[in-house]
């Protein structure tokens, strides 16, 4: 489709995308090891059983009790009602049990961008294919079904484990947002930002597919 006449002469030669509104419906995503299902309060007890402080060292919140997890889920569901978030529970297919949470957030309807975040996993599935497969499923849906232009990922700049995992996916480092947010009662956090854009997805997809095949 040709670009609209609203473009200015100074826009000539710049990238262009069809300005359709981004809508992210509730879906179930199936991988080999995991299934991502829409999050609900029914998942709170199983997720609360996974909580350890170490999981949330760099999080903006630290859920410890069932009530904490219920509040966390309620916040995510309010975001879903507004259309700014789409939260998932991560189900381990081999056991049928929840092993963590991840979400689309900061969904920008008009600009067709979103973020993958609020990801946390029970210690038992660290350093398994679970996180890689979750990211693959979410990125594939974003770029191939939803027509997203840019997927953002961010983490505390001190979180070397998370940053290494993001970089391993093939996301590009964009920079540090200094004094970004106050977390855990007033701690000042600087955030490291990464992204994958639609033109990079084929290369990132091949990279992730290779990683998952290698993981067996």
């Amino acid at each position: 489709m040709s670009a609209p006449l609203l473009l200015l002469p100074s826009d000539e030669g710049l990238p262009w995308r069809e300005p359709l509104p981004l809508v992210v419906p509730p879906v179930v995503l199936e991988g080999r090891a995991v299934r991502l299902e829409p999050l609900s309060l029914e998942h709170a007890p199983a997720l609360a059983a996974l909580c350890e402080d170490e999981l949330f060292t760099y999080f903006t919140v630290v859920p410890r009790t069932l009530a904490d997890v219920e509040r966390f889920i309620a916040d995510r569901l309010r975001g879903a009602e507004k259309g700014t978030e789409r939260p998932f529970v991560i189900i381990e297919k081999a056991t049928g049990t929840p092993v963590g949470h991840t979400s689309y957030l900061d969904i920008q309807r008009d600009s067709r961008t979103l973020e993958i975040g609020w990801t946390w996993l029970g210690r038992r599935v660290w350093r398994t294919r679970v996180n890689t497969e979750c990211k693959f499923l979410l990125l594939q849906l974003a770029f191939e079904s939803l027509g997203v232009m840019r997927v953002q990922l961010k983490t505390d700049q001190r979180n070397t484990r998370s940053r290494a995992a993001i970089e391993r996916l093939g996301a590009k480092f964009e920079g540090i947002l200094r004094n970004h947010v106050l977390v855990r009662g007033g701690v000042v956090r600087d955030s490291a930002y990464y992204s994958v854009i639609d033109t990079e997805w084929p290369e990132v997809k091949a990279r992730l597919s290779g990683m998952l095949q290698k993981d067996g």
Side-chain angles (χ1 to χ4, degrees), residues 159-216:
N159 191 346
T160 55
R161 187 170 68 87
S162 177
R163 293 183 67 174
I166 293 171
E167 290 166 6
R168 184 170 174 259
L169 300 174
K172 301 291 178 64
F173 176 61
E174 295 183 327
I176 303 294
L177 200 60
R178 300 179 301 161
N179 282 17
H180 176 215
V181 287
L182 293 176
V183 301
R184 297 183 299 281
V187 175
V188 179
R189 175 177 130 168
D190 297 342
S191 296
Y193 274 75
Y194 296 81
S195 71
V196 179
I197 61 175
D198 51 3
T199 54
E200 296 166 346
W201 169 237
E203 180 180 351
V204 171
K205 181 179 182 179
R207 178 188 182 95
L208 291 174
S209 296
M211 291 165 58
L212 291 171
Q213 287 179 355
K214 184 177 179 181
D215 286 343

Side-chain angles (χ1 to χ4, degrees), residues 118-170:
W118 284 121
T119 303
W120 56 274
L121 300 168
R123 185 190 298 272
R124 183 174 62 80
V125 297
W126 287 10
R127 290 179 286 277
T128 69
R129 67 182 282 130
V130 167
N131 185 54
T132 302
E133 192 167 76
C134 287
K135 294 299 191 294
F136 178 87
L137 293 170
L138 292 169
L139 288 166
Q140 184 177 50
L141 176 67
F143 290 121
E144 296 183 11
S145 298
L146 302 177
V148 167
M149 180 173 69
R150 174 181 182 272
V151 173
Q152 170 179 291
L153 304 100
K154 70 176 185 291
T155 189
D156 191 308
Q157 72 156 345
R158 302 169 300 156
N159 191 346
T160 55
R161 187 170 68 87
S162 177
R163 293 183 67 174
I166 293 171
E167 290 166 6
R168 184 170 174 259
L169 300 174

Side-chain angles (χ1 to χ4, degrees), residues 35 37 39 42-50 89-93 95-101 120-122 124-125:
R35 181 174 63 253
E37 298 179 355
L39 181 69
E42 294 179 358
H43 299 120
L47 291 176
L50 302 173
V89 62
I90 304 168
I91 304 294
E92 182 181 45
K93 292 179 70 172
T95 62
T97 58
V99 292
H101 167 271
W120 56 274
L121 300 168
R124 183 174 62 80
V125 297

